[in-house]
Amino acid sequence: MTKEALPKAMTIAGSDSGGGAGIQADIKTLTSLHVYATSVITSVTSQNTMGVDGIHDIPAEFVGKQIRAVLNDIGSDAIKIGMLSSAAIIKEVANSLSSFPEESRNVVVDPVMISTSGSSLLAADAIQALVNHLLPITYILTPNVPEAEVLLDLAPGSIKSVKDMHEAASKLAKFGPKFILLKGGHLPLKVNDKEQVVDIVYNSLDGSFHEITSDYVNTKNTHGTGCTLSAALAGELAKGVSVEIACENAIRYVKTAIAQSLDNIGNGNGPINHFHPLKWSPYQGKSFVTACKESLPKGLWSDFIDHPFVRGIADGTLPIESFTYYLKQDYLYLQHYARAASLAAYKSNTMNTIGLNAAIVLHITKESHLHLEYCAKFGISKEDVLATPESVFNAAYTRFVLDKGASGDLLDLKAAMLPCLLGYGEIGLKLFNDPATKRDGNPYWDWICQYAAEDYQEAVTTGLAEIEALADDLISTSTARFKDVCKTFEQATRLEIMFWEMGFRLC
């Protein structure tokens, strides 16, 4: 990577002697994201996982001197600001940055007030200085719920819902930030009997909201999450990523770091795992499946899951003859898909993976019976289905899958099967949960329910977990191998699209 191509981000924050938060967390985060990190230390703390027992502020003028030294020489594509524990330091930081408007265009402010262990980190007289001097030059403000309540002078516990978070974010923007990322980690919500976290991104430029939902991870090892998120966000902005995507990437990075938190560091609230991307896989920082989808040409996945054939199923306008032709061909397809799953069992080298693929064969057998029952509702007998000539589109798709399995390894086979597994799962849930989908009087509603059903969604979850494990083992750090698998996934996705087209063309 050339010097010009390397993104740079500066962190202005306090030092955490325990290494889990502050400057230490920021540098680990930025480095793991391939961003060159520079630092300005505002305070030195005496702390560990049990708490903070001392804060020594760096003289304000020396904080400014550090800022000018870095920006006059190295520059910065984004700036993250964390712990500023005095009004004098806050004013100095704001004043120093005013001399560098280009370098200060992407300022991310994490209003550090309370540590994970509950210790107060921001002096009371500094809050007003933060609001008056720093927030007006802030690009993105990243408070958690308790910090938002402090900034808005609300009683603790006032923000109780996503609606409250929306209102709070819009009020916070009046202090000057262009964007607000209001973090919902302190306010996990029950969704379908599952705890989830909703983070709110508010764009004050157009008044829009963007909600990012992720599973809540129940662990005490969350020290440094706020520092890490804001640093990751600054790193993404330094790369030139848009705000919404930068927020999504940063949240995903932190979620993985929490899920893989370090259990053997200290006796209190341990740090999260900043090292999780350091295997340097070709799809670092995201799942293999997400990376595969992102590798597709723009709009291709949507062409599959939002195809006019699918929309016709959703609103019930799809011609019956198109649907019944599709059903016949899909039954023939399932026979070959079961063969592919059987081949996967044959190519597996553990009893566990053999059993998983055998279970897929049994699930396909059940699904094929449902197809026949569904065909019967349209006056189509099993004999009619079996007598149907195989479409050239069907033959092209199924033989492609089987050929990948025969000539490649288990990952090649699973990549060829992945669009079907993943796509039908997404389509089923999307149509089932979309209020615009016609339910009463829709001849295809039962089909939608079949793919939104718990057993099918469980099969999707199991299948995705298997392919993630395969990718970890068989791709490792090989970019060339990853690209080859992505090509297989892309071709299978294109063949899925042609399967819908087959239904329209009746051939």
Side-chain angles (χ1 to χ4, degrees), residues 36 158 250 362 467 478:
Y36 183 79
S158 297
L362 293 176
I467 199 167
S478 173

Side-chain angles (χ1 to χ4, degrees), residues 462-474:
T462 300
L464 296 185
E466 181 191 14
I467 199 167
E468 291 292 346
L470 285 171
D472 282 344
D473 289 340
L474 300 176

Side-chain angles (χ1 to χ4, degrees), residues 220-430:
K220 69 181 181 67
N221 296 325
T222 57
H223 182 52
T225 51
C227 303
T228 301
L229 177 62
S230 53
L233 182 51
E236 293 298 305
L237 293 177
K239 297 175 183 177
V241 177
S242 67
V243 171
E244 286 188 0
I245 298 300
C247 289
E248 290 178 355
N249 289 349
I251 288 169
R252 182 166 55 208
Y253 174 90
V254 172
K255 176 188 171 183
T256 304
I258 293 174
Q260 300 178 17
S261 61
L262 305 176
D263 293 325
N264 58 347
I265 307 295
N267 299 306
N269 296 305
I272 61 178
N273 183 9
H274 301 94
F275 309 128
H276 68 82
L278 295 184
K279 60 184 179 180
W280 306 116
S281 78
Y283 53 94
Q284 65 173 31
K286 60 192 73 173
S287 70
F288 167 74
V289 172
T290 297
C292 276
K293 290 174 66 178
E294 290 180 355
S295 75
L296 295 174
K298 185 177 181 181
L300 187 65
W301 189 252
S302 179
D303 290 345
F304 170 30
I305 66 170
D306 295 316
H307 192 277
F309 192 99
V310 177
R311 301 315 310 164
I313 288 174
D315 60 21
T317 60
L318 181 71
I320 292 294
E321 61 268 27
S322 291
F323 188 71
T324 52
Y325 186 79
Y326 156 79
L327 278 182
K328 295 175 185 176
Q329 292 297 327
D330 201 38
Y331 181 87
L332 302 178
Y333 170 86
L334 287 175
Q335 289 182 318
H336 295 298
Y337 200 81
R339 291 175 63 207
S342 299
L343 179 58
Y346 173 77
K347 298 178 85 71
S348 298
N349 55 13
T350 69
M351 288 303 296
N352 183 52
T353 51
I354 291 171
L356 288 174
N357 285 290
I360 293 173
V361 175
L362 293 176
H363 184 88
I364 295 170
T365 302
K366 176 184 176 183
E367 187 179 351
S368 66
H369 288 313
L370 291 174
H371 266 56
L372 292 176
E373 293 174 6
Y374 207 65
C375 285
K377 294 179 181 179
F378 292 93
I380 303 169
S381 67
K382 180 178 180 180
E383 291 70 23
D384 293 332
V385 172
L386 296 177
T388 301
E390 185 178 26
S391 164
V392 292
F393 296 107
N394 199 347
Y397 189 7
T398 55
R399 296 338 182 261
F400 170 78
V401 173
L402 290 168
D403 178 67
K404 283 296 176 182
S407 62
D409 60 18
L410 188 54
L411 180 59
D412 293 312
L413 175 56
K414 288 294 182 175
M417 299 171 72
L418 180 58
C420 178
L421 175 75
L422 180 63
Y424 275 66
E426 286 190 14
I427 291 168
L429 282 182
K430 185 174 183 178

